[in-house]
Amino acid sequence: AELAEKIRVLIEQTEFKPQFNLTVSFGVAEYLKDESYESWLSRADKALYKAKHQGRNRVCLATDLD
């Protein structure tokens, strides 16, 4: 989550072309012992969509899901 936030801020603060800024959202899920790949990816995907629905340009953790 800390790395995702650092990357998000770096991208947000970078001007890629004159007057062109970019933002990103990340969904982060820690792999749980004995968890299937599909379940892990699904939790990360749900966290990403939550980040987008909360206004984008943010990091959302799978543990933050309702």
Side-chain angles (χ1 to χ4, degrees):
E2 290 176 19
L3 178 58
E5 179 62 17
K6 287 178 183 180
I7 294 168
R8 186 199 65 76
V9 170
L10 181 64
I11 291 171
E12 179 183 41
Q13 294 175 347
T14 301
E15 187 176 302
F16 292 93
K17 289 185 178 181
Q19 304 209 353
F20 179 80
N21 295 317
L22 182 68
T23 62
V24 295
S25 294
F26 290 94
V28 177
E30 180 179 6
Y31 179 76
L32 303 174
K33 183 179 180 183
D34 299 324
E35 181 176 29
S36 71
Y37 171 78
E38 291 82 8
S39 175
W40 177 45
L41 186 59
S42 175
R43 291 186 310 108
D45 190 51
K46 288 176 185 174
L48 171 61
Y49 278 95
K50 183 173 183 178
K52 289 181 176 185
H53 288 292
Q54 289 182 344
R56 302 180 183 241
N57 194 32
R58 63 185 64 233
V59 174
C60 185
L61 306 178
T63 57
D64 295 338
L65 300 176
D66 296 327

